[in-house]
């Protein structure tokens, strides 16, 4: 989840200090703020967004900052004519688990509209899996300008209203554009001023106001559409204010009875910023800005922290990560807060979309394959990749893939430390990723030094990712921490053996190879040490080069492993029922 990760503590330190300090009287200087100075700052819909004749419904009244409750838009009786978005139910009613539950997903990215990492995958695949579990799912997303035109064109205008935000009640336009696909309804919150950037994440100074707006607008939109779900399922810090708004400003509105789940996909990114700025932009009541809820340190507020305090359940994406984040090392300064709320903290391991990631039907592969012909077809895919990327073409080489955001989370220091020892004439390394310049440059340098054996493809390239998963023999995922990790799941599905560090979801999903019983799915190491990574890779190489039959058996075993969403969807459904029996 890459650029969203603009939001590290480093980024916070790097933010110009005057921006942080300027907040209470003159909130964070940004174009939006500046543009919004003249009240009311109602933004018009984009040209494609709405038929000109549609009325803009005044749905949110100005409420003074001190007012603690009930400022939400009232439900609107008369709605603009739209194609009614009735989710398709995939199976006969009697086959589906009962009772039916309705869920609103709120998050900042979703494949294929906008994806920078694993969150985008989850927001796409989990709702689809929940539909099969008899859930009625709406996904609420920002309508970023960067969403490809082919999707923008298919969106249907669902309505618009103005909503007040900020402690001085500044008014903003909220448009709702709808797209129905595969049984899931996607509602995009439109506001050109906030979401016109080419990237979903910019920097904290911009992102804090836009996700304050987004959280409140998402709830207001649900009221506006009069679609009141049983559960509101919020994802990561960008949606973490939703439970706070729900229990305060929206408590006495139709949506007020919904239960909330907040899923932590990555605790490193928290929406931590100057308290006066967040107080101003959210317009949330004063009593929420205490150390038990939003306040952190001397003069900061933390959106994730507040969401954790106010939601009904917190989930994270693996059991191990659920335990880890309650420790100082993994807790990102919220370990004590999470220990305090541990009774409502659960871990559910992610899956992957097994239709999107299916090596037998994958049109992006030169030679699609299944478990019956994986060994032969992998060689064809390998040759094609070697040709495409300028590697020495030789199917006998062992290819190690690495597909990742290039940040310190991903264990790249370990990879850099051992890479010269990997290139032994029999091994090739293919890196696909973008991120921190320090890693991009390091990998470029390796490519230059070991021409023909190492490739550093510094880009975000979905199609190439598919080809690398298919062509590689093993995939490196030596993360320092990994809430769940999807690349090891995709790798296994594509018959590519994962080599992982035993942390978070990597530990929960990759069973270490046992040479005595010939069981397991991959190679693992525990402590964050380069020597241990090298050892794990060498164990993999030994098996690959000396006991190929056993290696191939592991490949087939990996492909047979259930990495679908079915299991997770059932567990989420059980949580929804726990909250709304
Ligand atoms: P994170 O969410 O921390 O980035 P995950 O393993 O959960 O890591 O998810 C990463 C997702 O992003 C996977 O679907 C992976 O294939 C994809 N991905 C990561 N980097 C790239 C890239 N450079 N090009 C294409 N896909 C990428």
């Amino acid at each position: 989840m890459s650029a969203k990760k603009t939001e590290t503590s480093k980024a916070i330190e790097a933010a110009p200090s005057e921006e942080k300090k300027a907040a209470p009287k003159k909130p964070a200087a940004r174009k939006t703020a500046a543009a919004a100075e003249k009240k009311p700052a109602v933004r018009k819909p984009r040209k494609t967004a709405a038929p000109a004749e549609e009325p803009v419904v005044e749905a949110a009244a100005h409420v003074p900052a001190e007012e603690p409750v009930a400022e939400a838009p009232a439900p609107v009786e008369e709605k603009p004519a739209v194609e009614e978005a009735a989710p398709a139910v995939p199976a006969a009613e009697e086959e589906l688990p009962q009772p039916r539950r309705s869920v609103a997903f709120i998050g900042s990215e979703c494949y294929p509209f906008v994806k920078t990492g694993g969150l985008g995958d989850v927001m796409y695949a989990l709702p689809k899996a929940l539909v099969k579990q008899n859930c009625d799912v709406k996904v609420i997303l920002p309508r970023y300008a960067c969403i490809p035109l082919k999707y923008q064109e298919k969106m249907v205008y669902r309505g618009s209203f103005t909503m007040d935000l900020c402690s001085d009640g500044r008014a903003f336009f909220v448009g709702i554009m709808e797209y129905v696909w595969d049984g899931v309804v996607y509602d995009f919150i439109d506001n050109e001023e906030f979401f016109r950037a080419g990237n979903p994440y910019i920097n904290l100074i911009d992102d804090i106001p836009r996700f304050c707006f987004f959280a409140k607008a998402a709830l207001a939109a649900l009221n506006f559409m009069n679609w009141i779900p049983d559960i509101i399922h919020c994802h990561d810090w960008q949606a973490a204010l939703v439970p706070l708004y729900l229990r305060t400003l929206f408590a006495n509105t139709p949506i007020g009875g919904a239960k909330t789940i907040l899923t932590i996909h990555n605790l490193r990114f928290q929406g931590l910023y100057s308290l006066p700025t967040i107080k101003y932009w959210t317009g949330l009541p004063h009593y929420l800005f205490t150390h038990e809820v939003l306040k952190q340190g001397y003069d900061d507020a933390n959106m994730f922290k507040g969401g954790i305090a106010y939601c009904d359940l917190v989930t994270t994406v693996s059991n191990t990560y659920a335990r880890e984040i309650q420790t100082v090392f993994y807790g990102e300064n919220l370990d004590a807060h999470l220990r305090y709320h541990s009774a409502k903290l659960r871990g559910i391991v992610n899956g992957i979309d097994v239709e999107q990631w299916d090596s037998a039907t994958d049109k992006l592969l030169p030679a699609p394959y299944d478990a019956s012909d994986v060994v032969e077809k992998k060689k064809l895919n390998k040759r094609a990749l070697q040709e495409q990327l300028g590697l020495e073409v030789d199917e006998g080489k062992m290819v190690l893939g690495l597909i990742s955001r290039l940040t310190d989370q991903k264990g790249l220091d370990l990879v850099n430390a051992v890479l010269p020892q990997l290139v032994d004439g029999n091994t090739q390394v293919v890196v696909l990723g973008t991120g921190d310049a320090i890693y991009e440059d390091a990998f470029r340098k390796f490519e230059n030094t070991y021409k023909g054996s190492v490739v550093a493809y510094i880009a975000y390239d979905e199609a190439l990712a598919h080809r690398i998963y298919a062509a590689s023999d093993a995939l490196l995922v030596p993360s320092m921490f990994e809430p769940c990790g999807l690349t090891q799941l995709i790798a296994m599905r594509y018959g590519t053996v994962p080599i992982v560090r035993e942390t978070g979801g990597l530990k929960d999903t990759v069973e270490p190879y046992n040479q005595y019983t010939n069981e397991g799915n991959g190679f693992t190491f525990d402590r964050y040490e380069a020597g241990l990574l090298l050892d794990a890779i060498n164990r993999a190489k030994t098996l690959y080069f000396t006991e190929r039959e056993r290696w191939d058996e592991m490949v087939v075993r990996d492909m047979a492993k259930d990495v679908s969403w079915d299991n997770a969807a059932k567990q989420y459904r059980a949580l929804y029922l726990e909250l709304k029996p």
Side-chain angles (χ1 to χ4, degrees):
M1 306 169 212
S2 61
K4 94 175 149 216
K5 331 277 167 115
T6 47
E7 215 261 295
T8 60
S9 33
K10 271 190 211 125
I12 293 155
E13 278 153 29
S17 55
E18 63 274 20
E19 293 290 359
K20 275 186 94 176
K21 305 261 164 57
K25 290 181 198 110
K26 189 172 187 285
R30 61 189 300 287
K31 281 183 202 141
T32 307
E37 218 60 68
K38 297 167 252 136
K39 287 201 274 172
V42 180
R43 295 290 145 201
K44 294 240 167 67
R46 286 176 217 157
K47 283 195 187 86
T48 53
E53 65 274 15
E54 292 293 356
V56 171
V57 183
E58 191 68 41
H62 166 77
V63 172
E66 293 73 28
E67 180 61 64
V69 288
E71 69 148 33
V76 171
E77 300 303 338
E78 248 182 81
K79 273 180 251 149
V82 287
E83 279 170 30
E84 198 38 64
V89 178
E93 196 68 33
E94 62 273 16
E95 289 169 22
L96 293 168
Q98 298 297 333
R100 191 163 171 81
R101 281 289 166 266
S102 52
V103 189
F105 268 51
I106 303 181
S108 59
E109 58 180 270
C110 179
Y111 173 88
F113 312 110
V114 55
K115 168 183 159 184
T116 70
L119 173 63
D121 289 315
V122 176
M123 292 285 292
Y124 162 71
L126 180 54
K128 274 180 37 174
L130 284 168
V131 168
K132 293 185 192 145
Q133 294 298 321
N134 202 12
C135 290
D136 192 357
V137 194
K138 240 185 213 303
V139 180
I140 303 191
L141 299 160
R143 188 192 178 200
Y144 305 107
C146 63
I147 293 171
L149 202 60
K150 64 176 174 180
Y151 300 116
Q152 303 258 14
E153 282 170 353
K154 288 186 193 142
M155 294 177 189
V156 176
Y157 173 74
R158 192 79 160 81
S160 62
F161 53 90
T162 57
M163 175 189 81
D164 59 357
L165 187 73
C166 310
S167 48
D168 58 4
R170 192 179 289 175
F172 287 91
F173 169 83
V174 180
I176 307 170
M177 301 295 290
E178 194 158 273
Y179 180 57
V180 186
W181 182 36
D182 250 1
V184 179
V185 180
Y186 299 87
D187 281 313
F188 295 85
I189 301 295
D190 193 24
N191 179 297
E192 194 177 352
E193 196 68 50
F194 281 119
F195 300 128
R196 72 172 159 214
N199 193 312
Y201 315 112
I202 310 166
N203 54 57
L204 268 185
I205 299 165
D206 289 307
D207 288 348
I208 292 287
R210 62 215 293 256
F211 291 115
C212 291
F213 166 80
F214 174 61
K216 192 173 181 187
L219 289 177
L222 287 169
N223 270 343
F224 175 81
M225 292 185 283
N226 205 9
W227 197 83
I228 308 304
D230 299 310
I231 306 289
I232 302 180
H233 194 154
C234 315
H235 297 267
D236 269 352
W237 74 267
Q238 295 90 348
L241 290 177
V242 168
L244 297 153
Y245 278 121
L246 193 78
R247 298 275 168 268
T248 56
L249 305 181
F250 287 77
N252 299 325
T253 72
I255 196 79
K259 298 286 184 185
T260 50
I261 295 186
L262 176 59
T263 295
I264 301 171
H265 295 266
N266 192 335
L267 190 63
R268 174 158 284 187
F269 311 102
Q270 300 179 356
L272 175 69
Y273 204 65
S274 127
L275 186 148
T277 303
I278 290 184
K279 197 171 182 181
Y280 170 79
W281 276 102
T282 58
L284 281 167
H286 179 74
Y287 63 81
L288 292 180
F289 292 86
T290 62
H291 277 110
E292 287 71 38
V293 187
L294 277 163
K295 189 171 181 182
Q296 185 160 333
Y298 180 65
D299 201 22
D300 281 330
N302 184 329
M303 287 159 60
F304 226 157
K305 185 179 177 187
I308 290 165
Y310 261 58
C311 67
D312 296 303
L313 277 180
V314 186
T315 68
T316 186
V317 288
S318 67
N319 273 314
T320 298
Y321 193 61
R323 281 193 301 275
E324 286 174 343
I325 53 178
Q326 298 179 57
T327 66
V328 174
F329 182 80
Y330 293 98
E332 307 283 350
N333 295 323
L334 286 186
D335 47 294
H337 191 63
L338 284 158
R339 285 196 299 277
Y340 182 79
H341 289 285
S342 60
K344 63 175 183 183
L345 174 61
R346 316 286 165 83
I348 297 178
V349 170
N350 283 340
I352 55 170
D353 188 303
V354 289
E355 285 161 23
Q356 181 194 354
W357 296 105
D358 183 354
S359 58
T361 57
D362 192 332
K363 292 194 174 55
L364 298 164
L365 301 189
Y369 58 90
D370 59 25
S372 66
D373 58 358
V374 53
V375 176
E376 284 315 303
K377 293 282 178 59
K378 220 173 220 304
K379 289 180 190 158
L380 299 180
N381 286 306
K382 188 188 286 189
R383 293 182 75 90
L385 186 77
Q386 288 167 329
E387 271 166 30
Q388 180 187 350
L389 298 181
L391 289 163
E392 189 187 333
V393 179
D394 179 351
E395 63 191 39
K397 302 262 195 262
M398 184 180 189
V399 173
L400 304 177
L402 193 157
I403 300 173
S404 178
R405 289 184 293 116
L406 302 181
T407 73
D408 63 348
Q409 175 196 333
K410 297 294 181 177
L412 305 171
D413 297 313
L414 304 188
V415 178
N416 286 344
V418 304
L419 204 137
Q421 287 154 278
L422 300 183
V423 189
D424 55 6
N426 294 314
T427 312
Q428 296 177 339
V429 180
V430 177
V431 177
L432 170 64
T434 53
D436 298 350
I438 183 169
Y439 297 117
E440 293 186 350
D441 293 346
F443 284 121
R444 281 196 188 103
K445 188 159 174 271
F446 281 126
E447 176 181 90
N448 215 28
T449 311
Y450 302 106
K451 276 210 163 59
S453 294
V454 176
V455 161
Y457 202 96
I458 305 301
Y460 188 92
D461 189 325
E462 197 80 33
L464 184 59
H466 281 246
R467 288 169 145 241
I468 295 174
Y469 284 120
S472 302
D473 297 295
L475 191 88
L476 302 179
V477 200
S479 306
M480 184 190 293
F481 70 93
E482 194 60 74
C484 178
L486 298 179
T487 58
Q488 84 280 9
L489 301 180
I490 301 168
M492 287 190 276
R493 175 113 174 112
Y494 276 55
T496 302
V497 174
I499 300 176
V500 307
R501 178 162 172 259
E502 291 164 15
T503 183
L506 299 173
K507 184 172 178 174
D508 293 357
T509 57
V510 180
E511 188 194 333
Y513 177 67
N514 182 327
Q515 59 179 331
Y516 303 107
T517 61
N518 195 33
E519 288 170 342
N521 306 104
F523 293 86
T524 70
F525 63 103
D526 53 7
R527 291 188 310 282
Y528 190 75
E529 289 173 21
L532 296 184
L533 169 63
L534 185 60
D535 178 61
I537 296 172
N538 283 339
R539 277 183 279 131
K541 277 184 174 181
T542 305
L543 192 73
Y544 182 84
F545 285 113
T546 64
E547 293 184 90
R548 185 63 66 88
E549 263 178 34
R550 288 184 147 214
W551 178 274
D552 291 343
E553 281 164 22
M554 179 148 52
V555 165
V556 172
R557 214 161 40 239
D558 282 359
M559 291 186 78
K561 190 177 162 74
D562 182 5
V563 290
S564 75
W565 273 104
D566 293 348
N567 206 11
K570 283 182 190 146
Q571 293 179 61
Y572 279 112
R573 184 189 150 78
L575 290 189
Y576 300 158
L577 287 170
E578 189 180 320
L579 290 176
K580 278 271 171 107

